[in-house]
Amino acid sequence: MEISADYKEGARLYLNGLYSKFKEFKAIKWEVGARNPNWTISYYSGSYNGENYYTIVPDEVVIDIDGKGKDRAIVESAHNSLVARLKKLNVNFWSFDTGGVGYHIHEFGFKGLDNYQPDIIKEYKTRLIKKQIEGVAGIELVDLKIVKKGVSLIGIPFTPHRETGKLKLLLDWNYSRNYNEIDYDLLSQVVKDISNNISINVSNNISNNVSNKISINISINISINISINVSI
């Protein structure tokens, strides 16, 4: 594989984005076959069950295109369609072949998103992805598990896939700026919905507690009255 100057620049920008979040780098040797064994890059490194992972940060959105059990051509087409959509929306992103059967599209730099509670962040990311991919061919392949469950660990780009041993390679990117705009209309709706749910749950809990106390009081009063009547 011939590594072009544009490719190196895309990788450098991506890795700089990681550095700005983690401030912790570890040098590794980039190896793509025997022809290019000496390109050294650096990135944040963590360890989880012996694998190389990094933590998904609060202001990062990851679109996971799951190709398991699907025709490769269909999965690739879905990836290309989503990339085209994100470029049209001028989203700041990097897309990768995972080295397995799917793709990861990373969006960085939603400034201020990390100021919100985890539940709000997860719901915002889920709705944002749904909004971004709406109407795109192949959206049924997008797995929202990463954002819905708040998955925090993901394979580091440019390192081997844990099952296939193939590298997670950069395919495309859009880096016209170093941040993404938050959709505040969407975020406000998320905050409102979650706040309403919390209020409903609190009200239900209060009602249940009051009902339980009333039942207990009624039972106690009945028992006392019965005891008094029997004694008399």
Side-chain angles (χ1 to χ4, degrees):
M1 172 183 177
E2 187 66 29
I3 302 175
S4 68
D6 284 345
Y7 189 95
K8 288 184 179 182
E9 177 63 8
R12 185 189 68 79
L13 291 171
Y14 181 85
L15 295 167
N16 282 347
L18 286 185
Y19 174 75
S20 69
K21 305 299 175 187
F22 296 107
K23 308 297 184 186
E24 182 181 347
F25 265 42
K26 177 182 178 182
I28 65 168
K29 183 173 290 186
W30 174 277
E31 296 189 17
V32 186
R35 295 184 179 181
N36 301 287
N38 298 317
W39 183 28
T40 299
I41 61 174
S42 300
Y43 64 91
Y44 169 84
S45 178
S47 180
Y48 180 75
N49 289 343
E51 302 289 346
N52 286 326
Y53 285 84
Y54 82 84
T55 302
I56 298 174
V57 290
D59 65 354
E60 175 186 7
V61 172
V62 179
I63 299 177
D64 180 19
I65 303 174
D66 185 5
K68 189 173 183 179
K70 304 294 183 181
D71 183 82
R72 183 64 180 178
I74 294 176
V75 181
E76 183 177 347
S77 177
H79 166 264
N80 294 341
S81 296
L82 286 172
V83 164
R85 166 64 63 82
L86 294 177
K87 286 184 176 180
K88 185 176 181 179
L89 296 173
N90 197 27
V91 174
N92 169 28
F93 74 89
W94 289 264
S95 71
F96 294 87
D97 183 326
T98 63
V101 293
Y103 299 90
H104 286 160
I105 301 176
H106 299 250
E107 303 173 26
F108 270 119
F110 290 89
K111 289 183 177 180
L113 190 58
D114 53 349
N115 294 326
Y116 293 85
Q117 295 298 317
D119 285 349
I120 292 175
I121 294 174
K122 285 189 290 186
E123 184 61 23
Y124 173 78
K125 290 180 178 181
T126 300
R127 295 190 192 184
L128 177 66
I129 291 176
K130 288 181 177 179
K131 185 176 180 180
Q132 289 176 340
I133 68 178
E134 184 178 5
V136 176
I139 61 172
E140 68 278 2
L141 299 179
V142 174
D143 186 353
L144 293 172
K145 177 177 60 181
I146 287 179
V147 289
K148 280 186 174 180
K149 294 187 176 180
V151 173
S152 61
L153 295 175
I154 196 165
I156 298 177
F158 317 116
T159 59
H161 189 275
R162 64 183 181 277
E163 294 178 359
T164 67
K166 295 180 180 179
L167 296 181
K168 181 174 179 177
L169 294 177
L170 183 63
L171 297 177
D172 206 340
W173 63 89
N174 182 43
Y175 195 80
S176 58
R177 56 191 177 186
N178 61 358
Y179 65 94
N180 279 306
E181 297 283 358
I182 290 178
D183 185 336
Y184 282 102
D185 289 338
L186 180 61
L187 182 59
S188 296
Q189 188 61 51
V190 169
V191 172
K192 181 180 179 180
D193 290 346
I194 289 181
S195 297
N196 287 340
N197 286 335
I198 291 174
S199 298
I200 291 172
N201 289 333
V202 170
S203 297
N204 288 338
N205 288 334
I206 291 174
S207 298
N208 290 335
N209 288 334
V210 170
S211 298
N212 290 336
K213 287 180 181 178
I214 292 174
S215 298
I216 291 172
N217 288 332
I218 291 174
S219 298
I220 291 174
N221 288 332
I222 291 174
S223 298
I224 290 174
N225 288 333
I226 291 174
S227 297
I228 292 173
N229 290 331
V230 169
S231 298
I232 292 172

